Every structure is written in structure tokens, then in C-alpha cells.
Amino acid sequence: MPAKTKFEIKMGASTREAFGRTLVELGRENKDVVVVDADLSKSTMTTYFAKEFPERFFSCGIAEANMVGVGAGLAMVGKIPFVASFSVFVMNKGFEQMRIGAAYGRSNLKVVGTHSGITIGEDGPSQMSIEEISLACSLAGFVVLAPADENSTKALVRAAAAYDGPVFIRCGRPKAPVVYGTDQKFEIGKSVEVAAGRDITLIANGLLVAQALLAADLLDAEGVSARVIDMHTVKPLDRDAISRAASETGAIVVAEEHLVDGGLGVRVAQAVAETNPCAMEFVGIHNRYAESGNPDEMLEKYGLAARDIAAAARKVLGRKR
Amino acid sequence: MPRRAVLESYFHMAKSIAELEDIAKRVRRDIVEMITAAKSGHPGGSLSAVEIVVELYFNHMRIDPANPKWVDRDRFILSKGHAAPVLYSVMAERGYADTPKDKLNTLRQFGSVFQGHPDMRFIPSLEASTGSLGQGLSLGLGMALGARLDGRPSRFFVMLGDGEIQEGQIWEAAMAAPFHKADNLVAIVDNNRIQLDGFVADIMAIDPVAEKWRQFGWHTLEIAGNDFAAVQGALAEAAATKGKPTCIVAHTIKGKGVSFMENNPKFHGVAPTQDELKLALQELN
């Protein structure tokens, strides 16, 4: 657990870049790792794998439903297939195929959605995925991961490959602020406390972990001690950490780059309600679509920046029993 | 599995057409009996597919029911999962331990392994859980690509309904299989011309079916799908075809074998009554 030092933004690689690099390492270590692609390898970064292992890279063209089905079929003959596209395409156009082929069919499929959330920026809302955590969590038996930075992505992609069962991994387009050193250990289903605190808990994942750390610093300046938890696994949820946070700090803010409907916040709230009910606030996208713009502009306008998390914290502290 | 056992199992399988006809008749009786007992299900598209599924499981596929997870086996995917009764009956007849023949009449009942649509959780010897149309060909293609990568001899057979190929995903997979030169993959269209709401030509016309597959790059055959000799010839031709997948457009008769069900859209998805069952069994004697 890091001591309370001010969090400084230092940009690392994007989580999609970390995914692509890790995939190549996995390919070298295990010949059963294969990739199925739908014409976005240069964006999802599976292109590195394609270059080194062309015989294990299956292009499906712009056809996500078939891509997911082919991936599930590969898993059924013992391969460890990664299918990748923008989150918005693979989840929305491949959902039925994940349900039948991977969830109900119990196959060892790994689905990676890149360009998640609204920080993809300039391409605009048709390319922005703000629903996929909700959808992925509704697939029975799926593990759902949303890593925060380069090092956590590397570790979690490895954990996903080692795990026997279907996994969805949410990655982003822009460079991600560095949250972790290379020595941090990650386990599916076990959250990481990235900052200690006793007055309130900020729970986030993906790019909003860095924003939550910045928010904790804003609160610290006001004399509020905020715990920050990286809930990189949305399913299965780390209920112990949530229950502890609820009982020890008595107030929780959940922040995610996703619709508040059905996302991390809703799932954390369920765990809180079932364990130690406490006051909660939710930072996320509320019932609307975003627009073109750069990642920082997006976070600011749509209420996902550090100041928004801090504001939510002040609000919930007022209601704390 | 030792090579000798494989060969014995293979030669044990070889059946004459007369023997196959007998098996087909038993399977048809099973189908109408179990759907009548269940009081729901899809008799028409189960009966139309009998010769193809029997030929695959009794003659053509390299399988060993005593060792259903044999890694080099051939695999069958019933993409038109609502025809589950034909598959259940054929697997039971073929001796798979997880499809007990004396339990066929528990079809669709609570606690039965014979779920309404094929479900691997209940019958591990199945190769895929299906029932949502349009998905089986993609699964079969993935399996075929994986097996080829490992240098395995396995071949993959996917049965599609003619109504089912209205699903867009079928054509995504139809495009991809020839691109990947998946010659270990065979698509079989059970072209019985009827879907739930009526005749395929009236719901969403798909003709010329064979020409579509040919244009997508498949080695494409059209056969009389309720004729064992024709089915055998087509499967042999598929096995000999290299460099591209084969599509067999099997012209079949919906409800084949039961006069009042033949070509009758009503029996796509309606169970026979007890009286109708009696009549059907008389015809299938």
C-alpha cells in the first residue's frame, strides 16, 4: 500500500498497446494462443501478433458476429483464442455469439474490446462504447476486467490467458496515466487498494483510477482522507474489499467511464446493500451520448474528471451516518 | 485411443443401405414418439434430416461413441438446433452413454438430459450447444481452423436449415471459410423449403441456394437428401475436395416418412396428437 504521496500524472502506454505487446509474449510462450480479428488489428494492436504469428492469426474481415463464433469454435478444439475489436463493435455485434458460443457454451474465449468509453475522442459516439461492462456482466460465467494502466493490463491479460473460461477485457485508446510499477501483483477478482484512507472510499477502474487518485489529493487538501480502490475486476466482484470499505469508511463513490446504468457502480451498490449499507454516489455517464473531442475535454464535459469525483465525495460525506 | 481400436470401431460402423434404412425408420419412430410425449417440439425438420444424420454417425464420421472426446474425431454441429430429436435419437442408436435410448421419451421434461435444444451441459458428447439460429457455421469454421493448425485429421460437419440461412451471420461465415481454404469443413443445408411461418419462398425467398454458396467460393453439390446413396456420394465428394469447403444443398422433404406431415408447414413446430402418433407409427412400421 503506497504511503499518501501526491499522485502525479505520468503517461504510460495505452492499455490497448499493453494488450497487443502482451499478446505477442503469450504467443511465444504458448502455441495454443491464437487471434481472430475483424479488420482492426492496427487499432486493437493485435497487429504485433499477426506479424510474428501469421499462421495463428485469423482474419474474418468486418464481420464481428462470425469473428466471435470462430473464436468460440477455436476454443472448443483446445485453443486459447483472443478475439479483438473496438468494444462497441465486438460487444454489440458479437453479444449473441458470446452468449451462445462462450457463456452458455462454456468455451475458453477471451474477448478484448479496445477504444472503450468516451476517451477515444475524435471519432465520436458511434465508435464509443459506454454499455459494454453492463452487457459483459450479463453473460453468465464471464469474467469482466477493466485495467487501469499499462502494467495492470499486462498482468491481467496474462491472468485472463491462464484462466479457464470466458473473459472480457476492456481496453482504451489513449495513453493511460501510470498507476502501477512493474512489481505490483494482480489477481482476477481481487481489487487493489491504491491509496489508503479512512473517511471515504473512491472505487474506480480503467482510466478513472488515475482521476480518483487525483480526487483523493483534492480531498486530502481539505482534510478528508480518501481510500482509493482499483476495481479492475468487475465480475466476479471483490465483495470483501467493498464490504470492508463500507464498514471502515462509511461512504463510497464509484467512478467509471461508462453509463451509470448497469456498470461498476450498480454492481458495487448491490454488494454494499448486501453487506454493509452506507451512503453512496455514482460518477459516470448519465443517460446520454458524448461527442467528438480530445480525451481530457471528454472527461471534463461529461463529468468524469477528478473534480467531479471530489464533488461527489463531498456530497456523499454530507449524507454519511 | 490405440490405432487398432480406431480401425475396429470404423469397420464396425460400415453399414449397408438396407441396414441404414432400418435405422432411419427406427429414428423416425423415435422422433414422433418423443415429440408426442413432450407435447411440443419440431417434428418436420427432424424427419427431413434423418438420412443425413444417420449416414454421418453410422458410416461417414470417424467417431468412437465409447470415447466421445477422442481428440482426432470428426464433429457434427446441429446448427438448426430445433431438430434436436433427430440427433438425440441417432446418438442413442449409435450407443453414446450420455444419450440413453430408454430415456428419449423424457424429451423437454424437467430433469431430462434431452433438453429442448442441444445442450452440452447435459450431454457432453454433443459438439456444441445450439438453438439460436445462424451460429453453427462460425463455430464449425473455428473448430476446423484450430484442428488444421494442429495437423489433426478431423473433419467438421455443420447442418443448417434452409430457413436458418436467412441469418446474416451464416453469410459472414460462408465468406470466411473459402477465404481460409477450410476444406475440412462441410456445410449441409437441409433444404426442406419450410420454416416456422410457412414456405421459405413466402417468408424470405433464398433461391437459388446452391448458386449463392457457389458464388461465395464453396464446392457446392445439390442432392436428394433423403436418399442414402445420394448422401453417401456427396459426402465422399466432399472428403475428396481439397482447397475449399464443401456445401451440400440437400433437397429434403419436411416431415419425411409421415404422410400427413410431409410438406406441411403445421408440423414445423407442432407436436402430433396421440391419434396422429398412432397413424404415424403405422406408416413407419
Side-chain angles (χ1 to χ4, degrees):
Chain A
M1 199 183 303
K4 192 81 189 163
T5 52
K6 212 163 156 53
F7 180 71
E8 278 175 41
I9 294 270
K10 184 172 146 270
M11 294 310 246
S14 64
T15 50
R16 66 181 164 128
E17 173 75 16
F19 156 64
R21 296 290 181 195
T22 309
L23 201 52
V24 174
E25 291 171 15
L26 289 168
R28 289 176 191 149
E29 293 162 20
N30 187 343
K31 68 172 178 52
D32 283 333
V33 172
V34 297
V35 172
V36 193
D37 173 74
D39 190 43
L40 284 171
S41 70
K42 290 175 186 164
S43 303
T44 62
M45 298 304 166
T46 57
T47 183
Y48 303 135
F49 187 96
K51 284 207 181 92
E52 192 161 330
F53 307 105
E55 73 291 350
R56 283 194 255 154
F57 178 86
F58 300 102
S59 166
C60 280
I62 307 168
E64 292 79 9
N66 184 51
M67 171 182 72
V68 173
V70 167
L74 281 157
M76 288 168 172
V77 291
K79 297 293 157 196
I80 304 172
F82 280 78
V83 306
S85 181
F86 285 14
S87 265
V88 74
F89 304 134
V90 70
M91 186 52 74
N92 292 289
K93 303 192 195 198
F95 183 76
E96 236 281 270
Q97 292 69 27
M98 278 180 233
R99 177 173 183 270
I100 293 290
Y104 170 59
R106 286 187 182 172
S107 74
N108 192 23
L109 181 68
K110 317 302 171 189
V111 181
V112 179
T114 66
H115 297 65
S116 300
I118 61 174
T119 51
I120 74 162
E122 293 76 1
D123 270 344
S126 69
Q127 320 293 300
M128 291 173 175
S129 190
I130 54 176
E131 308 89 353
E132 83 273 32
I133 293 294
S134 168
L135 289 164
C137 287
S138 68
L139 293 166
F142 256 69
V143 162
V144 180
L145 306 173
D149 75 348
E150 182 178 352
N151 284 328
S152 56
T153 302
K154 285 180 179 171
L156 287 166
V157 168
R158 284 185 163 278
Y163 172 81
D164 183 20
V167 180
F168 175 76
I169 308 174
R170 183 187 216 222
C171 292
R173 175 177 182 264
K175 288 185 184 308
V178 175
V179 176
Y180 297 106
T182 50
D183 54 343
Q184 177 71 42
K185 298 275 180 272
F186 291 89
E187 214 180 299
I188 289 173
K190 191 147 180 30
S191 62
V192 181
E193 187 175 306
V194 286
R198 60 182 182 277
D199 301 328
I200 185 168
T201 303
L202 313 178
I203 298 177
N205 61 18
L207 289 178
L208 294 203
V209 174
Q211 297 298 323
L213 284 164
L214 292 171
D217 288 340
L218 294 174
L219 294 167
D220 190 54
E222 298 163 21
V224 174
S225 161
R227 177 180 303 182
V228 180
I229 293 176
D230 173 6
M231 197 61 69
H232 53 72
T233 305
V234 189
K235 185 180 177 182
L237 206 55
D238 187 350
R239 291 165 61 91
D240 289 345
I242 293 167
S243 162
R244 240 184 356 260
S247 73
E248 290 170 10
T249 69
I252 292 176
V253 173
V254 185
E256 59 190 317
E257 190 187 347
H258 189 274
L259 282 174
V260 290
D261 310 272
L264 174 66
V266 169
R267 289 181 56 79
V268 171
Q270 184 178 15
V272 167
E274 287 171 352
T275 55
N276 294 305
C278 73
M280 292 186 73
E281 279 289 326
F282 303 91
V283 171
I285 300 157
H286 290 265
N287 209 28
R288 59 179 170 167
Y289 298 99
E291 64 198 276
S292 291
N294 73 40
D296 288 337
E297 288 164 341
M298 288 294 106
L299 292 180
E300 297 271 330
K301 171 157 183 186
Y302 290 89
L304 308 178
R307 61 157 194 223
D308 303 298
I309 300 172
R314 287 178 205 111
K315 207 165 141 193
V316 76
L317 282 166
R319 300 208 318 271
K320 184 173 163 178
R321 273 173 269 181
Chain B
M1 181 177 197
R3 185 171 165 72
R4 185 185 152 75
V6 173
L7 288 173
E8 277 176 0
S9 134
Y10 188 80
F11 287 119
H12 168 73
M13 282 160 56
K15 300 272 184 207
S16 71
I17 284 188
E19 286 173 300
L20 294 168
E21 302 275 12
D22 279 349
I23 296 167
K25 196 162 273 184
R26 287 203 293 278
V27 167
R28 287 203 158 89
R29 292 174 64 89
D30 283 347
I31 289 169
V32 290
E33 283 186 45
M34 69 176 115
I35 294 174
T36 306
K39 299 192 181 72
S40 70
H42 300 81
S46 299
L47 292 167
S48 64
V50 170
E51 281 77 9
I52 296 161
V53 183
V54 168
E55 171 61 23
L56 283 169
Y57 273 87
F58 279 87
N59 258 345
H60 192 77
M61 290 200 296
R62 297 167 65 255
I63 49 171
D64 178 10
N67 185 9
K69 293 293 166 191
W70 173 36
V71 72
D72 281 341
R73 70 191 182 279
D74 293 342
R75 302 193 194 203
F76 176 73
I77 298 169
L78 184 66
S79 191
K80 44 171 278 185
H82 54 279
V86 65
L87 181 55
Y88 294 157
S89 169
V90 169
M91 289 176 70
E93 190 79 28
R94 191 68 178 82
Y96 284 89
D98 50 9
T99 54
K101 201 165 167 52
D102 61 348
K103 293 284 196 302
L104 283 174
N105 283 351
T106 63
L107 175 73
R108 290 174 167 246
Q109 289 172 26
F110 183 67
S112 173
V113 299
F114 298 113
Q115 297 282 296
H117 292 78
D119 188 333
M120 296 172 81
R121 297 175 306 163
F122 292 85
I123 303 175
S125 296
L126 289 168
E127 303 293 3
S129 294
T130 54
S132 174
L133 295 175
Q135 302 198 34
L137 193 56
S138 303
L139 294 175
L141 174 57
M143 292 181 189
L145 295 175
R148 185 176 70 189
L149 196 57
D150 285 345
R152 297 191 189 286
S154 306
R155 297 174 65 238
F156 300 84
F157 301 87
V158 181
M159 175 172 273
L160 308 167
D162 53 350
E164 178 184 13
I165 67 175
Q166 292 161 349
E167 291 274 10
Q169 188 186 346
I170 292 293
W171 299 102
E172 294 184 1
M175 212 179 325
F179 175 79
H180 288 289
K181 303 185 171 56
D183 54 16
N184 52 351
L185 178 67
V186 180
I188 303 167
V189 180
D190 180 10
N191 203 67
N192 61 32
R193 301 184 308 116
I194 291 172
Q195 59 189 115
L196 190 143
D197 266 347
F199 288 91
V200 172
D202 297 329
I203 306 302
M204 178 50 62
I206 54 168
D207 282 334
V209 175
E211 199 47 39
K212 286 189 171 68
W213 290 88
R214 212 165 273 136
Q215 289 294 331
F216 272 71
W218 293 63
H219 179 67
T220 306
L221 304 160
E222 288 190 80
I223 62 161
N226 295 123
D227 178 323
F228 275 110
V231 173
Q232 288 174 351
L235 289 171
E237 187 171 327
T241 301
K242 300 300 168 200
K244 51 164 75 174
T246 294
C247 175
I248 300 170
V249 178
H251 296 291
T252 59
I253 293 170
K254 192 108 175 181
K256 169 76 178 171
V258 179
S259 60
F260 58 90
M261 291 186 181
E262 288 193 358
N263 291 316
N264 182 353
K266 176 188 157 189
F267 286 102
H268 169 90
V270 171
T273 63
Q274 286 295 338
D275 288 344
E276 286 168 336
L277 172 65
K278 261 182 222 154
L279 276 172
L281 291 177
Q282 277 167 20
E283 292 186 19
L284 291 169
N285 248 327

